Amino acid sequence: MRFLPVSLTTILVELADLDQTLALFASLEADPIDGVEETVPAARTLMIRFRPETITAQALAANISTRDLSAKIAPSDKLVEIPVQYNGEDLADVAELTGLTVDEVIQRHTNSEFTVAFCGFAPGFGYLVGGDRALHVPRRQSPRTRIPAGSVALAGAFSGVYPQNSPGGWQIIGTTPLKMWDIEREPGALFQPGYRVRFVDMAKAAIDVHTPQQTSAATKRVPSRDDAHFEVLAAPMPALFQDLGRFGQTGQGVSASGALDRSAFNTANRIVGNPSNTPCLEITLGGFSFKSASRAVIGVAGANCVITIQSGEQSFEASPYAPISLEPGDVVSFANPTNGMRSYLAVRGGFKVAPVLGSAATDTLAVVGPDVVVAGTILALRHQKESLASVSIDEVPAFDLPKAGDVVTLDVVLGPRTDWFTQKGIDTLTSQHWQVTPQSSRVGIRLAGEVPVERKDSAELPSEGTATGAIQIPHSGQPVLFLADHPLTGGYPVIGAVAEYHLDLAGQIPVNAKIQFRPLGPFAEIAASKTAEFSGEER
């Protein structure tokens, strides 16, 4: 058992195999450790997020190192049958790789009973184990940029079904008409950890597939124009509802998402006296405009941009970080920011927005959360009076906002896979300035440097949990800094992670700024300390 640092609040436990991983996961579920907030199982690792004010990483390692990993997980009584048309693009390649005929590949796949070991990558994506060992094949050398939803695929010891259109490098052997992820279903993921799975060849069995009806746009409640509302006039980039994130859904492969600049999000709510975690609009790169149909008080925090209010024949500039009073008919417009990337718009009382899986955060990768906000959207307002506090008139930005051309220094915790890289590669990461490219998004900041980060070899990493702030290094050697909408698991080594206190700053770094990574210390495994365990409990 190895204990590897991920960030200041997360560790990675590396185990011998999947059986040990699932045994440890079951042990922590049955006998939880105070201070542990979330666990993400993967092929042979368990990523654990904890509260450092409650327990230290060393104390956590000490507790885990005493757990019994010999217990086998009892099979679930839930069996899911997946009808498949075995017509995948890689079916012939899989046959060649395995030395089997196409018919033999299909037969071995359908004769196997699989178990959902864990979920990750995307909502509803289950990693299935227990299939015929003859079907163990490597990922494709060149991943596809788009794999259709319902694709049945193989990679290494795993089988799986892509729940939505997404990039991927697994070998596609067929397709299923079943919907693997449906937010209208309870639970949304057809595959849950522990479920047993069998694949059925549709060419040889008469199968009546019942696909659930999707909720049509017509059945969704559209806010009435008679209600208090804002009408969106312009949104060059769709605005997104965000809160502090969606937690507790990792079992379905759903990550937290949430506001990229949490300090600005919280500030916007304080400005208008809202309770904490009231959903706000996250506006990227300005250009956003709306018309108010009623009296309202708004607050804006985050990116430094000019806010213009058109009130009848008069026009004036309003200040961020202070309450702004609106009258019916007022038009509010955001200019492009001079510093920073994202602004947060709060309205006193809050927006009427329905939570999805317990949160109003919009996850752009997983496509989970409220609809995106575009021109023509009607934003209904709440006028609740309870729980409101006084407006705040003395708010200021939490940090200096960066602009294009700036060099932004981010503190980094090295790990968990720093030892997969040469010393030259580590030096390259920490000494070179990395330019933020236009391909960046809420999923991650794609960086470009003159010298790529050098790995020791081209070994394949089994999928493992990834944290917000992780710096993943793909084969190109050009880093990707994961932001809030990153996939729950990943297959490229992570060389380090941005310290949590710099994540808000990372969410405001614009294209063409540069990043300097500053390690907080050398990479080192976490030692399980009994002394640390006692001091952690005393705190």
Side-chain angles (χ1 to χ4, degrees):
M1 203 184 289
R2 296 175 72 205
F3 300 96
L4 305 171
V6 173
S7 69
L8 297 174
T9 62
T10 308
I11 67 171
L12 193 76
V13 185
E14 183 181 85
L15 299 117
D17 52 34
L18 181 61
D19 286 343
Q20 284 196 359
T21 301
L22 296 180
L24 177 58
F25 180 64
S27 173
L28 292 173
E29 290 282 293
D31 182 17
I33 300 172
D34 187 32
V36 169
E37 294 198 312
E38 195 168 43
T39 55
V40 180
R44 52 190 295 259
T45 59
L46 201 65
M47 190 177 76
I48 302 176
R49 186 166 59 88
F50 62 95
R51 296 189 301 274
E53 67 274 16
T54 303
I55 190 169
T56 65
Q58 292 79 9
L60 186 57
N63 185 306
I64 291 171
S65 64
T66 65
R67 299 291 176 120
D68 179 13
L69 305 183
S70 63
K72 294 291 184 182
I73 307 303
S76 169
D77 58 0
K78 178 70 173 180
L79 175 65
V80 181
E81 291 193 338
I82 305 296
V84 181
Q85 292 179 335
Y86 284 95
N87 56 0
E89 299 175 55
D90 302 318
L91 184 56
D93 290 341
V94 169
E96 184 176 345
L97 286 167
T98 58
L100 303 171
T101 66
V102 166
D103 287 342
E104 287 172 332
V105 169
I106 297 170
Q107 184 180 25
R108 288 175 183 254
H109 197 246
T110 54
N111 284 348
S112 298
E113 181 171 287
F114 297 85
T115 301
V116 182
F118 57 93
C119 293
F121 174 66
F125 189 95
Y127 288 79
L128 310 181
V129 297
D132 194 312
R133 293 184 62 86
L135 298 182
H136 291 187
V137 291
R139 290 183 176 93
R140 288 171 51 84
Q141 286 293 315
S142 178
R144 292 184 172 90
T145 57
R146 182 182 182 276
I147 292 179
S151 295
V152 179
L154 305 172
F158 297 107
S159 188
V161 183
Y162 283 83
Q164 60 192 37
N165 299 335
S166 60
W170 288 30
Q171 307 277 4
I172 302 172
I173 62 172
T175 57
T176 179
L178 288 187
K179 194 172 184 182
M180 306 306 298
W181 170 256
D182 185 356
I183 199 65
E184 304 294 333
R185 186 171 57 206
E186 180 57 42
L190 192 60
F191 288 162
Q192 297 288 316
Y195 281 12
R196 295 178 295 124
V197 178
R198 292 189 70 91
F199 294 94
V200 180
D201 186 356
M202 295 180 68
K204 296 181 179 178
I207 299 173
D208 185 13
V209 178
H210 296 281
T211 55
Q213 293 279 334
Q214 282 188 285
T215 303
S216 67
T219 64
K220 294 182 180 179
R221 183 186 180 276
V222 178
S224 168
R225 290 179 179 269
D226 295 330
D227 297 337
H229 69 271
F230 295 158
E231 180 182 358
V232 179
L233 304 178
M237 291 190 68
L240 306 172
F241 282 111
Q242 294 295 346
D243 56 22
L244 294 177
R246 178 179 292 105
F247 297 96
Q249 299 294 333
T250 55
Q252 298 195 82
V254 180
S255 57
S257 188
L260 291 191
D261 184 348
R262 294 161 66 98
S263 62
F265 168 87
N266 289 328
T267 299
N269 273 321
R270 287 198 301 270
I271 290 168
V272 296
N274 282 344
S276 62
N277 208 27
T278 300
C280 293
L281 273 187
E282 184 178 85
I283 299 166
T284 303
L285 293 178
F288 189 79
S289 177
F290 67 90
K291 182 177 182 179
S292 179
S294 60
R295 281 189 165 185
V297 176
I298 62 172
V300 179
N304 184 14
C305 61
V306 174
I307 305 167
T308 304
I309 312 295
Q310 183 73 39
S311 185
E313 298 299 319
Q314 296 183 331
S315 178
F316 60 93
E317 287 187 12
S319 299
Y321 292 92
I324 303 169
S325 180
L326 301 180
E327 296 294 329
D330 284 358
V331 174
V332 181
S333 300
F334 292 74
N336 299 124
T338 56
N339 300 71
M341 278 276 287
R342 296 172 173 92
S343 303
Y344 293 85
L345 169 65
V347 60
R348 184 167 173 81
F351 294 99
K352 281 185 182 177
V353 55
V356 178
L357 294 179
S359 168
T362 302
D363 188 327
T364 58
L365 177 67
V367 195
V368 174
D371 292 339
V372 299
V373 174
V374 296
T377 300
I378 301 297
L379 301 173
L381 310 182
R382 298 185 186 276
H383 276 311
Q384 61 186 41
K385 302 204 182 280
E386 65 277 5
S387 303
L388 293 177
S390 300
V391 298
S392 178
I393 58 174
D394 57 357
E395 299 291 339
V396 295
F399 48 82
D400 292 334
L401 292 159
K403 63 181 182 299
D406 284 354
V407 176
V408 181
T409 299
L410 299 178
D411 288 346
V412 171
V413 176
L414 291 179
R417 298 301 176 187
T418 311
D419 54 359
W420 281 51
F421 298 87
T422 64
Q423 186 59 50
K424 177 185 175 183
I426 299 169
D427 293 343
T428 297
L429 177 80
T430 58
S431 64
Q432 184 171 238
H433 289 172
W434 298 94
Q435 184 158 327
V436 176
T437 70
Q439 289 72 40
S440 302
S441 67
R442 279 183 52 89
V443 175
I445 301 175
R446 292 188 175 272
L447 301 171
E450 291 184 10
V451 181
V453 177
E454 182 180 82
R455 283 178 54 171
K456 289 180 178 177
D457 54 44
S458 58
E460 195 166 295
L461 178 72
S463 293
E464 59 189 28
T466 55
T468 302
I471 305 165
Q472 190 182 70
I473 311 294
H475 292 307
S476 66
Q478 302 292 341
V480 179
L481 169 55
F482 279 162
L483 298 181
D485 289 359
H486 66 87
L488 196 62
T489 58
Y492 294 119
V494 169
I495 193 171
V498 172
E500 282 80 354
Y501 55 78
H502 274 168
L503 288 178
D504 289 351
L505 174 58
Q508 292 286 9
I509 302 176
V511 172
N512 292 328
K514 294 183 178 180
I515 293 177
Q516 169 84 64
F517 292 118
R518 179 172 60 193
L520 293 175
F523 168 69
E525 293 185 28
I526 298 166
S529 168
K530 292 293 184 182
T531 303
E533 184 175 15
F534 293 128
S535 64
E537 289 176 352
E538 288 169 0
R539 278 203 298 269

